[in-house]
Amino acid sequence: MRERKYRFFPLRPQHTPGGRRRRSNKLRSIQLIITVSFTAVTVLVAVIVSFMLYNKFARTAEENANINMQQIIEQVNYNLELYVTGMSRIFATAEGQITGSASIDSPLLSERMDTLMSSREDLVSVSVFTPEGDYVVGTPGLVLQQNTQLENQSWFTSASKSAEIAYSAPHVQNLFKGNYPWVVSISKMISYQEQGQTHQGILLLDFNFRTIDELSRQVKLGKRGYAYILDSLGNIVYHPQQQLIYAGLKYENVEPVLEYAYRSYIDTSTGDKRLITVRTLAETGWKIVGVAYYDEIVTTKRDLNQFLFWFLGVVISLVIAVSVLLSWLIASPIRRLERTVKQVGEGDLHTPIQVSGAYEVEQLSLRFNMMLQRIRQLMDQIIYEQETKRKGELEVLQSQINPHFLYNTLNSVIRLAERGKTDDVITMIQSLSKFFRISLSRGKNFITVQEELDHIRHYLVIQSFRFRGKFRFEIKAQEEVLQYQTIKLILQPIVENALYHGIEMSPDEGFISIAASLQSGSIVITVADNGLGMSPETLGSLLKGGVRTGGGSGVGVRNVNERIGLFYGREYGLSFASELEEGTTVTIVFPAVPAEIPAESGEEDTSS
């Protein structure tokens, strides 16, 4: 292929006042953009660094205070863990004595319960209740009150639902007369012996809350800081300002606390910035929450103020000077590149760009040359496709009057005339006349689907005289399809294949079915035969040019597929399905485009 030269003609810019255009060009100058951008970015970085330095001491103080606060809360957590573990051991001792006793009302068990009560000052009571809420046995000297509604109390319901030890929130004990201490209850479902039978009951131990209160009050987190305790449901077990909480004069945001077992975070829900530290007791699920006020953690941030003002002033001065120099060094080769590109725009595409300078400028020059090469390739591809399109059109024109087909048809007419079959001669001559009239179509490339179906119908009528008794055919089309546009002569090569490759060599009577329909905005035409079929190798080579029609136009199915792809896009064309000794089905798909001129004649359904 000979070398082609391409020439571009640049667009003329719109006329604008000279002064305004020069000012606009200066504002868009790459040197000015680099200077301003570099200065802005560097100053921004300096400000960010200064801000980081300014907050360095605050962060360090905050981290140290956070570590100190965590250590205090950890110590409180450890102390409470020890206390709760002791409570659990007392409960386990009581459970072992009751379950191991021969009878719940034995004097020996009562004596052991007295000993257990005397071993702990904070142990208020030990008692056993039935699952129905009836009192079985308890600490000597205590009389159960009436209407205690103990089955509604949390320690009773928790023990009834789970086989594990249940810890209640602090509450006033209202079970026994004359004694109403503030206690924490531990309960569990156990088994006991009474009159030789095993029963289920709920063991309850009440511990005075005073010890937990004293452990919590010892926590000091700054002047205003404090610690409080939540149960697993978010109820406040202990708070140094519990009266204010109950009165609604103080608020604690407990939702974030309940989400984690171990965390530290900043809270501003109360209006003050506070550092919150959370730890969880493994035994009870209680959460110990430490609260420290942020303004007490970081007491000063004034050490860096003077340094920052001096630092920023020096940095801005240096940055402006350096950015001017660097922008000039960068903009100079780009200006040379701009002049060279302008020359390419005024010349042909074979003018190379050779600009030296920074690595990026050289790469830009290289990429621009690659772009020019790609443009030339795309233009060559467009020219090739146009030539292929014209070649296909010429091949179609050549196939319109095929001497071999015309010779065979005229011989068939002569034989029919010699036999005196005047009606068959008239039918064949009429079909031949209409066949060539549609083939020529006044030089048009597009005809209606109705005309294309009429064309193939006349072709099959002519061939039916030559292959008399060898095949039958059927043409069906939806009424709405007939007035759409199609490329002409796309069915004849496919039907030729069906006749010469599928039916002619078959010992049985052949049948060709042609159907046209409208599906999802596309025209779908199927050509099916019951001929010999094709092997997978032959089927795979059809659209690669390996198989051509055997008797007629020479256009072939590949040319049909190429023409459809060139006119409508590569997503349209032919598809094949075939099995040996079963037959072949060819499907043609192209978009539904209304025809400009309606068809003059045609039939929707013709069989022979």
Side-chain angles (χ1 to χ4, degrees), residues 498-515:
L499 283 174
Y500 291 105
H501 293 289
I503 294 176
E504 184 177 17
M505 304 303 294
S506 175
D508 301 323
E509 181 187 36
F511 179 72
I512 297 175
S513 173
I514 302 173

Side-chain angles (χ1 to χ4, degrees), residues 126-130 133-144 150 176:
V126 179
S127 52
V128 177
F129 297 87
T130 66
D134 296 328
Y135 180 63
V136 178
V137 70
T139 305
L142 297 180
V143 180
L144 186 70
L150 59 87
F176 304 102

Side-chain angles (χ1 to χ4, degrees), residues 451-521:
E451 290 173 328
E452 179 68 14
L453 293 177
D454 284 344
H455 177 267
I456 199 61
R457 178 171 59 83
H458 294 310
Y459 173 77
L460 287 170
V461 169
I462 294 170
Q463 293 289 32
S464 66
F465 284 100
R466 181 184 174 195
F467 297 94
R468 181 168 296 277
K470 186 64 179 176
F471 72 93
R472 295 180 298 106
F473 68 89
E474 180 183 59
I475 302 175
K476 292 183 177 181
Q478 296 176 355
E479 183 68 29
E480 60 269 20
V481 174
L482 299 177
Q483 301 307 319
Y484 282 99
Q485 170 184 287
T486 179
I487 305 172
K488 70 178 180 181
L489 302 185
I490 60 175
L491 293 177
Q492 182 181 338
I494 299 171
V495 173
E496 282 182 351
N497 267 352
L499 283 174
Y500 291 105
H501 293 289
I503 294 176
E504 184 177 17
M505 304 303 294
S506 175
D508 301 323
E509 181 187 36
F511 179 72
I512 297 175
S513 173
I514 302 173
S517 61
L518 181 64
Q519 300 179 15
S520 302

Side-chain angles (χ1 to χ4, degrees), residues 66 69-78 221 226-232 252-267 274-282 285-292:
N66 189 17
M69 181 178 177
Q70 291 178 5
Q71 292 174 347
I72 295 174
I73 298 301
E74 288 285 1
Q75 184 62 44
V76 176
N77 182 72
Y78 176 74
L221 301 174
Y226 55 89
Y228 65 95
I229 302 175
L230 293 176
D231 64 11
S232 59
E252 293 290 354
N253 186 19
V254 299
E255 285 80 5
V257 174
L258 296 175
E259 294 179 3
Y260 299 93
Y262 185 101
R263 72 176 300 198
S264 295
Y265 65 97
I266 298 296
D267 177 69
R274 306 185 302 171
L275 179 62
I276 309 297
T277 300
V278 182
R279 297 294 182 270
T280 302
L281 288 174
W286 293 352
K287 296 181 183 295
I288 304 172
V289 185
V291 180

